[in-house]
């Protein structure tokens, strides 16, 4: 028998979230029932709300959950009820890609994260008696309780501030992981970040941790650039400044070691590529629209420049999230400056504030909380 819980049910593309009672199955093999303390909202939730997943609604989204384990299924060895956990993306931990330590590119990653169902196609929640898509990133954390998997759960200290740590599982991990895990940026190197949202600002904080000599932030908003500066950016530019590429090339004496595109637009990727120095690396982190293409000067690639796409910062959450938690505790990864708390009931306000860029990282508090 399942238990009654409350979830934000999305019934139609771009529709409002309606908080209603759903029935949550008992945990199956490898699963954990987690009482969700808080969940961040990520841009991927918004693109899936807009129909990017092409799966039928109703659905429960949310994939930056954190909470406390209430019950465990068969075969769970590393978690017991009462454990505090931060959830991240799902990987099978067994395929060729996972065993080569690239869980972000797991061969079962699509089914386990983006189908809205479990990897075997089943659904953990029922709404009005019918099964609904409710295993987004093996979480569906826009709910008071969810079924996660031992493979996407990371144990944290029982006293850890879960409301703050919830968004570590996706957006913050993506930006910080790109710098610390994918690039392994070293002391004295130069980085440029296009897009000062949650992902870009996490990259900027991580670059400061790594000792970057120059951290350039580019965004359309002066306010965001101000925050980027506070978090470690040394040079900031409005994205619509004329001759921007030329200015950055001059300022960096020939380009940056690493450039990050955190927006998902072809023209921005092209700019990031153009400010990357010979032998440097330009990476795409932003989610492009379906079918988007970019054109590049082929000769520039022959300078040894690399262009790569990075998912989830190339990070393994089992080791990287504990590292971010430590950096946060040391005050070196001050994510609270990007987060804004909302009561679960205010989820539609939170989405609105994110879409209008008035909130960088809304965090829903599932069991009572304050609204800004
Ligand atoms: Zn795998
Ligand atoms: Zn995400």
């Amino acid at each position: 028998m399942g238990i009654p819980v409350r979830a934000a049910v999305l019934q139609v593309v771009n529709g409002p979230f309606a908080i209603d009672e759903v029935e949550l199955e008992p945990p199956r093999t490898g699963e954990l029932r987690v009482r969700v303390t808080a969940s961040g909202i990520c841009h991927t939730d918004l693109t899936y709300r807009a129909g990017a997943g092409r799966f039928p609604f109703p659905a429960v989204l949310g994939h930056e959950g954190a909470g406390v384990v209430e019950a465990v299924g068969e075969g769970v060895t590393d978690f017991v009820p009462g454990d505090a956990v931060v959830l991240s993306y799902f990987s099978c931990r067994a395929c060729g890609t996972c065993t080569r330590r690239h869980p972000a590119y797991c061969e079962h990653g699509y089914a386990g994260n983006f189908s809205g169902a479990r990897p075997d196609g089943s659904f953990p929640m029922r709404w009005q008696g019918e099964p609904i898509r409710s295993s987004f990133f093996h979480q569906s954390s826009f709910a008071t309780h969810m079924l996660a998997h031992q493979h996407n759960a990371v144990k944290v200290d029982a006293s850890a501030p879960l409301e703050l740590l919830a968004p570590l599982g996706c957006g913050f991990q993506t930006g910080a992981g790109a710098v610390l895990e994918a690039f392994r940026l070293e002391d004295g190197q130069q980085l440029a970040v296009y897009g000062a949202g949650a992902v870009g600002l996490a990259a900027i904080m991580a670059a400061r941790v790594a000792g970057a000599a120059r951290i350039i932030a580019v965004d359309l908003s002066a306010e965001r650039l101000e925050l980027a500066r506070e978090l470690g950016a040394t040079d900031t530019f409005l994205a619509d400044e004329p001759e921007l590429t030329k200015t950055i090339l001059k300022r960096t004496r020939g380009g940056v070691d690493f450039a990050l595109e955190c927006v998902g637009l072809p023209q921005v990727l092209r700019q990031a590529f153009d400010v990357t120095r010979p032998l440097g690396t330009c990476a795409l982190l932003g989610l492009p629209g379906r079918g988007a293409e970019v054109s590049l000067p082929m000769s520039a690639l022959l300078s040894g420049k690399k262009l790569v796409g990075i998912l989830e910062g190339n990070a393994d959450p089992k080791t990287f999230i504990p590292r971010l938690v430590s950096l946060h505790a040391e005050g070196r990864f001050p994510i609270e400056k990007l987060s804004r708390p909302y009561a679960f009931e205010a989820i539609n306000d939170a989405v609105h504030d994110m879409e209008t860029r008035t909130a960088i990282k809304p965090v829903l508090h599932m069991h009572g909380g304050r609204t800004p």
Side-chain angles (χ1 to χ4, degrees):
M1 270 303 285
I3 59 163
V5 307
R6 278 151 46 78
V9 180
L10 184 62
Q11 297 172 44
V12 292
V13 169
N14 275 327
F17 291 97
I19 298 182
D20 202 1
E21 189 175 295
V22 301
E23 185 188 334
L24 182 67
E25 278 187 0
R28 296 187 182 182
T29 301
E31 290 184 339
L32 321 171
R33 188 174 79 227
V34 176
R35 181 182 192 267
V36 184
T37 303
S39 176
I41 305 179
C42 173
H43 272 287
T44 305
D45 293 310
L46 303 191
T47 54
Y48 273 68
R49 171 174 170 260
R54 292 195 283 184
F55 52 65
F57 290 167
V60 178
L61 300 176
H63 63 285
E64 289 185 343
V68 177
V69 176
E70 274 192 346
V72 301
E74 267 179 56
V76 172
T77 48
D78 295 344
F79 299 90
V80 293
D83 282 346
V85 287
V86 171
L87 282 308
S88 187
Y89 68 87
F90 174 81
S91 63
C92 77
R93 319 293 302 180
C95 70
T97 312
C98 281
T99 53
R100 286 195 302 275
R101 298 193 187 170
H102 295 294
Y105 310 95
C106 171
E107 291 163 23
H108 306 283
Y110 181 80
N113 291 304
F114 298 108
S115 70
R118 291 188 178 97
D120 69 4
S122 63
F123 306 117
M125 290 178 192
R126 297 172 82 87
W127 178 63
Q128 298 184 348
E130 297 295 327
I132 59 169
R133 306 256 156 187
S134 48
S135 191
F136 194 52
F137 281 70
H138 221 309
Q139 302 186 30
S140 289
S141 57
F142 294 164
T144 55
H145 301 72
M146 64 183 168
L147 290 188
H149 196 281
Q150 57 181 345
H151 293 338
N152 69 332
V154 180
K155 206 184 298 190
V156 296
D157 199 84
S159 63
L162 292 174
E163 298 83 356
L164 283 178
L165 302 183
L168 289 181
C170 186
F172 293 158
Q173 166 170 265
T174 295
V179 171
L180 298 174
E181 296 281 310
F183 294 160
R184 298 193 179 271
L185 187 141
E186 290 171 8
D187 204 8
Q189 290 187 309
Q190 304 188 97
L191 171 82
V193 176
Y194 286 79
V199 171
L201 291 169
I204 287 167
M205 291 189 281
R208 176 147 79 176
V209 167
R214 189 186 300 276
I215 304 170
I216 295 167
V218 181
D219 197 275
L220 282 166
S221 150
E223 202 183 327
R224 293 260 171 124
L225 292 177
E226 185 67 43
L227 180 57
R229 204 169 262 284
E230 189 185 328
L231 295 173
T234 56
D235 304 67
T236 56
F237 298 98
L238 285 166
D240 50 8
E241 186 178 315
E243 309 265 313
L244 179 55
T245 297
K246 217 183 253 183
T247 308
I248 292 178
L249 286 172
K250 200 168 161 200
R251 185 80 62 92
T252 55
R253 297 174 192 266
V256 294
D257 299 285
F258 303 107
L260 278 181
E261 202 280 2
C262 308
V263 184
L265 292 172
Q267 64 272 31
V268 180
L269 182 60
R270 175 62 196 269
Q271 285 175 35
F273 182 78
D274 286 345
V275 303
T276 305
R277 70 163 174 76
L279 289 171
T281 304
C282 171
L284 171 66
L285 267 59
L287 201 62
R290 197 183 300 282
E293 294 191 2
V294 67
S295 77
L296 300 169
M298 286 171 74
S299 58
L301 285 167
L302 290 174
S303 66
K305 252 193 226 196
K306 289 175 283 295
L307 176 64
V308 296
I310 298 177
L311 271 183
E312 297 287 348
N314 279 5
D316 181 344
K318 295 276 185 185
T319 51
F320 194 61
I321 287 178
R323 185 176 174 194
L324 292 180
V325 171
S326 302
L327 285 170
H328 176 258
E330 292 163 15
R332 301 168 74 199
F333 198 66
I335 46 182
E336 57 278 4
K337 292 188 174 163
L338 316 184
S339 299
R340 187 186 289 186
Y342 293 82
F344 186 27
E345 291 69 24
I347 181 170
N348 291 305
D349 298 337
V351 167
H352 174 264
D353 290 354
M354 197 170 174
E355 285 177 329
T356 53
R357 298 194 97 216
T358 54
I360 299 174
K361 175 58 72 181
V363 178
L364 303 170
H365 291 210
M366 299 307 176
H367 304 274
R370 52 204 178 88
T371 317

